[in-house]
Amino acid sequence: MTMSTKSAIVALSLGAALLLCGCASTPRLAGSVQGSTYVSAEGGFAVPFPVSPEVHGRVLNDGPQGVTFGDNWGSRITFKERDILQQSSMMTMLEKQGREKALSEFAKREYGDLVTIHYHPEAREGMISFIYLRPVSPKSAVAIFLHDRRLFIVETDMLPGVQLLAQSDEKSQGERESWLESRAITLAQSIEVK
């Protein structure tokens, strides 16, 4: 037997074992799906599926306060909810300096000082957005807004195909980033807060 034949047999055996033990099956959801809407496990928010069933759009994983969707085209879209503690520095800043400053400081703490934050006062009573570059990952757009004492965060990646096919000049890159940020804002506005 050649090495590639042995590798193929091992891969097929491992795949069969995973299927038999159920490890390769669809993950059990903490939240629920009602039609084409996902409802978070704690019931704090609901979102329409942002990925299409035609390209095998699905929930990749979820937990008590968040969900990540994906599809076969490489989309990755995450929705998260976080409570703000009454005695936190975030709440103090929100009360004394307003939404824009509180959201901007949160973003800088969570994502680093290198992000260029854009404030959108007309969206969700004040929302911020920015482009974030993780090490060894595609560019992501992030949109964050406040509702009562909760933060809602949306992260969406640049589709791999867009990065590969797109021109690499600075103007084209700026247009792609602007489009991606607009997409994050639109996704954040699709959240139904409960």
Side-chain angles (χ1 to χ4, degrees):
M1 266 189 207
T2 65
M3 189 60 149
S4 61
T5 305
K6 286 181 184 177
S7 297
I9 291 171
V10 168
L12 286 172
S13 299
L14 181 59
L18 287 173
L19 285 173
L20 289 174
C21 76
C23 298
S25 64
T26 304
R28 174 169 267 175
L29 292 179
S32 63
V33 175
Q34 299 170 1
S36 61
T37 301
Y38 170 86
V39 179
S40 68
E42 293 186 352
F45 70 94
V47 291
F49 267 64
V51 288
S52 173
E54 285 81 26
V55 290
H56 197 58
R58 64 204 174 275
V59 173
L60 297 176
N61 58 63
D62 73 334
Q65 294 183 310
V67 60
T68 299
F69 296 91
D71 63 27
N72 288 353
W73 283 5
S75 291
R76 187 192 68 81
I77 302 165
T78 301
F79 296 86
K80 297 184 257 187
E81 171 189 5
R82 285 193 183 170
D83 293 326
I84 303 171
L85 300 175
Q86 181 60 39
Q87 304 302 321
S88 69
S89 60
M90 174 91 179
M91 188 58 76
T92 302
M93 187 172 291
L94 179 62
E95 290 168 354
K96 292 183 178 178
Q97 297 179 350
R99 279 180 189 265
E100 182 178 3
K101 182 69 173 169
L103 289 169
S104 297
E105 287 303 312
F106 171 80
K108 288 179 180 179
R109 273 198 316 254
E110 290 293 310
Y111 295 91
D113 287 332
L114 299 177
V115 297
T116 302
I117 296 170
H118 303 105
Y119 184 64
H120 312 278
E122 73 288 347
R124 293 279 187 163
E125 299 178 34
M127 178 186 300
I128 62 167
S129 66
F130 53 91
I131 297 294
Y132 176 64
L133 184 59
R134 287 188 215 70
V136 196
S137 290
K139 287 182 180 178
S140 296
V142 180
I144 305 171
F145 69 92
L146 287 160
H147 181 81
D148 292 332
R149 291 187 179 153
R150 296 179 291 164
L151 279 169
F152 291 88
I153 304 163
V154 175
E155 296 178 357
T156 182
D157 290 346
M158 179 73 76
L159 293 173
V162 172
Q163 290 186 24
L164 292 174
L165 297 174
Q167 298 174 358
S168 60
D169 62 72
E170 196 171 311
K171 181 181 176 197
S172 295
Q173 181 177 336
E175 289 170 352
R176 287 191 309 275
E177 288 179 0
S178 178
W179 173 84
L180 187 62
E181 237 178 290
S182 293
R183 183 175 186 225
I185 293 166
T186 300
L187 289 165
Q189 290 177 326
S190 75
I191 298 174
E192 180 187 340
V193 177
K194 305 252 182 187

